[in-house]
Amino acid sequence: MTLKNVLLVTETYRPEINGVATTLGKWVDGMLALGIRVTVIRPKQHSADKAIDSRTFDRESDKLVFGLPIPGYADLKFGLVSQKWMKHQLQRIKPCAIYIATEGPLGYAALKAAKQLKIGAVTGFHTNFQSYSKFYNFGFLEPLIMKYMRWFHNTSASTLVPTQQQKQMLEHKGFTNTEVVSRGIDGELFSPTKRNQQLRDQWGASENEPVFLYVGRIAAEKNLELLADTYESISEKYPKAKFVLVGDGPLKPSLAARYPALIFAGVKRGEELAQHYASGDIFLFPSQTDTFGNVVTEAMASGCCICAFDDAAAKEHLDNRQSAFLADLGDDRQFIKNAIAAYEKTDLRKNLSMSSVVLAQRLNWQKIVQQFCKTLEKSQSTQYGKAHANRSNLRFKPESSSR
């Protein structure tokens, strides 16, 4: 089977800035380059947001739906549609494959409609929403959220995850038919050649002075309290050390008030973002909730020395003291020690950075898009179709026992 017409259902999409939107954008670009027509159903992001017309954008089109802000993520929305409306869209679009990237109401409606029309939809486990709950005062719902997520994904033809670690974790929790489709890197955009001394001058950093860098959402689920502890430990020993944070989020005002010396660069995109990566030296990634962390591979390709936990993208692609400084998951003390070592041990830091650049160059988006397309094709095969058709009725029963 050759893909000709793919439907993508998601509650976040470009130009929104997050790993899911970035990944989906790369997959869509790759499919378009292969001559595949792609339709995206997504919430309207803002009042001026307009639908894309495939006649103008060469085989890409989208359908905008009403959305409401996600609690704790006011800049993101979940879509609200009826199952009847979604079924009508599937009948009108006639996709040969469906990919559902998010598990909210929009994805739920798409999954039910696909079931009715006997189309084997593929889902993606992009975000650990069950882990996020504890950071927004509803941690007591974590077991129920996980039960829903397991039901949602087990109802689909297959579930895509970004790492072997994520696959093993989900399988341990009762998820079935998981497949690894990793993430790539734009090596032309993210490169050590984008280093900009004028930008570093703005930060007050000399040519050979290492700069700490964080890129991402400035929010509790990113474990920024550890970033604050790391800053305190290093600035106590090295008062002139520079810390640059790229991004925005609810914790930005409190961090700025607590630590006036932190440099908040704001949200950056494209070439400007690439220059910020390459102009930093030590990339701090304290998160313990990410399924992957695209920022890690972007930092790798940009020539940064990675300081992270042995988790997600770092675990998938890096090795401790060979291509990065990695701490065991949950070992905050070691994370801080690694950050200090990266600052002090210049030769080791540079060697690790060079190794990570080489590793990043192997992460080719084109190959990953081809793997993604093969998975979509397989979802329509007889084997997957039978498995999908034989599943129980598409109804979530929270009172039922866990798998």
Side-chain angles (χ1 to χ4, degrees):
M1 172 186 175
T2 300
L3 292 177
K4 295 181 179 179
N5 182 15
V6 171
L7 172 64
L8 191 153
V9 180
T10 179
E11 269 131 335
T12 181
Y13 195 60
R14 55 186 174 190
E16 292 173 336
I17 301 177
N18 58 68
V20 182
T22 297
T23 298
L24 297 180
K26 290 295 184 182
W27 284 351
V28 169
D29 288 342
M31 287 189 287
L32 294 176
L34 294 173
I36 301 170
R37 187 176 186 276
V38 181
T39 303
V40 180
I41 296 180
R42 62 178 178 84
K44 189 171 184 178
Q45 296 172 347
H46 50 78
S47 59
D49 196 3
K50 295 182 179 180
I52 295 175
D53 189 332
S54 61
R55 292 171 296 181
T56 304
F57 287 88
D58 190 22
R59 296 185 302 277
E60 180 182 9
S61 62
D62 61 12
K63 182 73 176 178
L64 306 188
V65 303
F66 174 75
L68 291 175
I70 297 175
Y73 281 77
D75 51 337
L76 298 181
K77 298 181 179 180
F78 58 83
L80 293 175
V81 299
S82 68
Q83 180 187 340
K84 181 179 179 181
W85 180 91
M86 183 63 76
K87 183 178 178 181
H88 173 73
Q89 295 303 315
L90 267 60
Q91 291 172 325
R92 181 182 64 83
I93 297 168
K94 295 181 173 61
C96 60
I98 300 173
Y99 182 70
I100 303 173
T102 50
E103 302 92 345
L106 192 61
Y108 177 87
L111 199 57
K112 294 189 72 174
K115 173 73 172 181
Q116 285 191 341
L117 297 174
K118 294 182 171 57
I119 303 173
V122 174
T123 58
F125 197 104
H126 289 269
T127 306
N128 285 314
F129 282 119
Q130 75 285 353
S131 299
Y132 283 21
S133 61
K134 61 187 176 184
F135 296 103
Y136 294 97
N137 299 318
F138 51 93
F140 62 95
L141 291 177
E142 183 173 345
L144 183 62
I145 294 172
M146 177 54 80
K147 183 174 289 188
Y148 167 74
M149 299 274 274
R150 179 173 54 241
W151 165 85
F152 181 94
H153 290 287
N154 284 354
T155 304
S156 69
S158 62
T159 300
L160 305 190
V161 296
T163 66
Q164 288 292 337
Q165 177 196 28
Q166 189 74 15
K167 176 180 172 68
Q168 293 169 6
M169 185 274 285
L170 292 181
E171 288 178 346
H172 178 72
K173 292 182 179 296
F175 287 66
T176 58
N177 292 326
T178 58
E179 296 189 36
V180 177
V181 176
S182 192
R183 305 292 184 258
I185 189 68
D186 185 344
E188 293 185 4
L189 177 61
F190 299 107
S191 166
T193 62
K194 302 296 177 70
R195 193 172 181 87
N196 187 325
Q197 186 55 46
Q198 289 183 332
L199 180 58
R200 290 173 58 84
D201 289 342
Q202 294 176 20
W203 301 338
S206 62
E207 182 177 352
N208 296 317
E209 181 181 357
V211 172
F212 290 93
L213 182 71
Y214 169 83
V215 178
R217 181 171 159 82
I218 303 178
E221 71 273 9
K222 298 299 183 180
N223 198 21
L224 292 194
E225 275 304 313
L226 176 56
L227 187 74
D229 292 343
T230 303
Y231 169 75
E232 289 180 355
S233 297
I234 291 175
S235 60
E236 181 178 346
K237 193 173 183 180
Y238 302 103
K240 294 184 179 180
K242 304 295 187 299
F243 280 70
V244 178
L245 284 71
V246 178
D248 201 357
L251 289 186
K252 180 178 178 180
S254 61
L255 283 175
R258 286 167 59 188
Y259 308 109
L262 289 178
I263 301 169
F264 290 91
V267 175
K268 302 298 177 185
R269 303 173 186 267
E271 188 69 23
E272 199 174 12
L273 175 60
Q275 290 182 12
H276 276 70
Y277 271 121
S279 299
D281 299 277
I282 304 165
F283 185 78
L284 300 176
F285 190 69
S287 175
Q288 300 181 78
T289 59
D290 279 61
T291 58
F292 188 76
N294 291 51
V295 293
V296 171
T297 52
E298 291 169 354
M300 288 169 56
S302 302
C304 292
C305 176
I306 309 298
C307 285
F309 287 105
D310 190 15
D311 186 46
K315 184 178 184 66
E316 191 82 350
H317 298 297
L318 300 169
D319 292 300
N320 186 39
R321 299 261 171 167
Q322 294 183 36
S323 49
F325 285 100
L326 302 182
D328 290 338
L329 199 60
D331 193 342
D332 292 0
R333 181 177 297 181
Q334 187 60 52
F335 183 95
I336 295 173
K337 286 182 178 179
N338 285 346
I340 295 174
Y343 188 86
E344 294 177 337
K345 299 181 179 181
T346 303
D347 290 341
L348 177 58
R349 179 182 72 246
K350 291 183 177 180
N351 288 337
L352 298 182
S353 299
M354 291 172 61
S355 297
S356 68
V357 169
V358 173
L359 292 171
Q361 291 171 346
R362 303 174 185 174
L363 306 178
N364 185 291
W365 272 118
Q366 184 178 5
K367 292 181 180 179
I368 291 169
V369 168
Q370 290 173 351
Q371 183 186 1
F372 174 69
C373 290
K374 287 181 180 179
T375 304
L376 293 183
E377 290 177 354
K378 190 164 58 174
S379 73
Q380 304 307 308
S381 69
T382 302
Q383 177 186 358
Y384 275 83
K386 287 181 178 179
H388 186 73
N390 290 334
R391 296 181 192 273
S392 58
N393 290 335
L394 193 60
R395 178 179 297 174
F396 174 53
K397 300 177 181 179
E399 71 278 7
S400 63
S401 60
S402 302
R403 286 177 177 265

